[in-house]
Amino acid sequence: MNRNAPDRTLRIGGRPLPVAGPARMYVCGITPYDATHLGHARTFVWADVAARVLRHAGGDVLVCRNVTDVDDVLNQAAHRAGSPYDSFAAVQQYYFERDLDTLGVHAVDHQPRAHNHVTEVIALARGLLTSGDAYLRDGAVLLHGADVPRRAGLGDGEARALLAEYGDDPGDPGKEHPFDVAVWRPSRSGEPAWPSPWGPGRPGWHAECAAMAMTTFGPALDLHAGGADLRFPHHAYERAMAEALTGVRPFSRAWLHVGVVRRDGEKMAKSTGNLVLVSDLVPGRPAAAVRLMLIAEPWRDEWDYTPAALDRAGERLDRLHTAAGRRDPSPAAEAAVTEALLDDLDVRTALDVAGQEGGRATRLAMHVLALD
């Protein structure tokens, strides 16, 4: 072994992520009920960057990106369209994957759909009941969640507000504690339903991801990616369910919580009517310029979209292409690009080096970041 060889370990959030064997990466995927906007795209492009940098570091990476096709907003959209929920989701998923392919996002190894993993959610619920980490109430299986906000670093007030925002009503009188959430719940009229030991029902949102991740990778992950807006309650309860079932901690060794995209100061979302769709931008610009715009700011930072940001990305992409044709600098420039990318996915520094040095360093940065 060469003890003087450079360390090629990716560090995420200050946490080193050495791997032996394939790295297990789970990406919290879409609820396929509408077109892909920049908020979606930024999360999945950054997850793709993380996987590419891990591969550049010399490791194999297995990526699982789920599809949440059992969900209230999807049911409502399908009902408005007069379509079965699963058919509606399949069409929307096609458009989503087309947009990600346009942006250079590598195809994933696993893409589980929630409706195909109901059996695993039932097994999760049964296991949590057996261990005493959940209880049965009126056909629902509820996780004991009193300590989940604390473990996520949240105070009670903020936790209550977020639970209410995401549909886990802390004021539900059927709960033993306001912070308990559904692993399994009875289906309402018009909702998809599956038989279970507790009557017809459907999975809870957080249980879907816990079941799909564990079905794909077992009890633990190396890297879990998703939007920062999913940190709580979704990821916190997904983690709590998985750890309670398996006893393996941590559920994920590192987390990539990608900052949300804003427009005019508000989070980009259908509910605010401020969406910018990938399909609206790409016909008039190189897809690589859109991708560069989405990774120009650090992954954890919130970011405001403006047309000027896309203009700047296009101009920078042109400069990178020019720099790639320059004479090669010292080999240290390539090493500096790699070190920046391994240091918390520091794309900004990597591209600064690439732009200044040119040649192989630029070609390396553009290749790893799928900008070529």
Side-chain angles (χ1 to χ4, degrees), residues 4-346:
N4 296 318
D7 182 11
R8 290 173 65 89
T9 298
L10 175 62
R11 296 172 292 281
I12 295 286
R15 181 185 297 274
L17 196 62
V19 292
R24 302 153 299 174
M25 182 175 176
Y26 185 84
V27 183
C28 224
I30 60 157
T31 301
Y33 73 98
D34 204 356
T36 311
H37 61 72
L38 291 184
H40 296 142
R42 187 173 193 241
T43 292
F44 300 120
V45 168
W46 267 114
D48 183 64
V49 166
R52 289 174 182 272
V53 171
L54 276 166
R55 293 188 183 102
H56 175 59
D60 292 328
V61 187
L62 296 176
V63 181
C64 174
R65 186 181 66 225
N66 75 289
V67 177
T68 303
D69 60 1
V70 180
D71 187 88
D72 288 342
V73 293
L74 172 60
N75 293 337
Q76 293 160 9
H79 179 74
R80 289 193 297 271
S83 174
Y85 81 94
D86 49 354
S87 300
F88 183 83
V91 172
Q92 296 301 317
Q93 184 183 340
Y94 164 78
Y95 291 121
F96 164 73
E97 291 175 357
R98 183 188 64 180
D99 287 340
L100 292 196
D101 182 65
T102 298
L103 292 176
V105 174
H106 197 281
V108 296
D109 302 282
H110 305 280
Q111 192 161 229
R113 295 159 178 82
H115 83 270
N116 289 329
H117 290 270
V118 174
T119 299
E120 287 81 1
V121 174
I122 292 172
L124 170 62
R126 184 183 288 114
L128 293 172
L129 286 170
T130 299
S131 66
D133 291 292
Y135 58 96
L136 184 61
R137 187 65 52 85
D138 299 327
V141 177
L142 298 166
L143 178 79
H144 288 295
D147 67 334
V148 174
R150 178 189 56 78
R151 290 180 58 198
L154 270 66
D156 284 6
E158 186 178 5
R160 283 176 180 271
L162 287 169
L163 283 165
E165 178 183 346
Y166 284 91
D168 292 306
D169 182 10
D172 183 349
K175 296 180 178 182
E176 291 183 3
H177 191 280
F179 298 156
D180 298 345
V181 301
V183 184
W184 181 265
R185 64 183 192 179
S187 295
R188 296 182 293 252
S189 175
E191 292 182 341
W194 290 265
S196 81
W198 317 287
R202 47 174 284 200
W205 175 32
H206 319 308
E208 290 173 346
C209 269
M212 287 186 281
M214 289 189 290
T215 299
T216 305
F217 290 133
L221 310 169
D222 293 297
L223 180 60
H224 193 308
D229 52 340
L230 300 180
R231 185 192 304 268
F232 188 92
H234 185 48
H235 291 161
Y237 281 94
E238 175 195 355
R239 169 187 172 183
M241 290 178 190
E243 292 180 352
L245 182 75
T246 67
V248 176
R249 297 190 179 194
F251 172 55
S252 182
R253 297 168 60 206
W255 295 79
L256 189 78
H257 282 125
V258 179
V260 301
V261 177
R262 297 184 178 275
R263 187 181 185 189
D264 299 325
E266 287 190 278
K267 174 186 168 184
M268 192 172 289
K270 185 174 183 179
S271 59
T272 59
N274 64 351
L275 299 184
V276 176
L277 304 183
V278 170
S279 58
D280 289 340
L281 295 182
V282 170
R285 300 278 184 162
V290 179
R291 182 179 173 102
L292 177 55
M293 175 183 70
L294 293 171
I295 60 176
E297 301 299 327
W299 58 266
R300 61 168 52 81
D301 290 357
E302 295 184 357
W303 168 74
D304 277 84
Y305 166 77
T306 63
L310 184 54
D311 291 338
R312 290 192 298 272
E315 293 164 0
R316 189 175 196 185
L317 185 65
D318 288 342
R319 293 195 298 272
L320 287 169
H321 281 295
T322 300
R326 295 205 302 261
R327 294 183 60 183
D328 290 323
S330 68
E334 291 177 80
V337 166
T338 293
E339 177 56 31
L341 294 175
L342 292 175
D343 186 13
D344 210 19
L345 305 177
D346 187 354

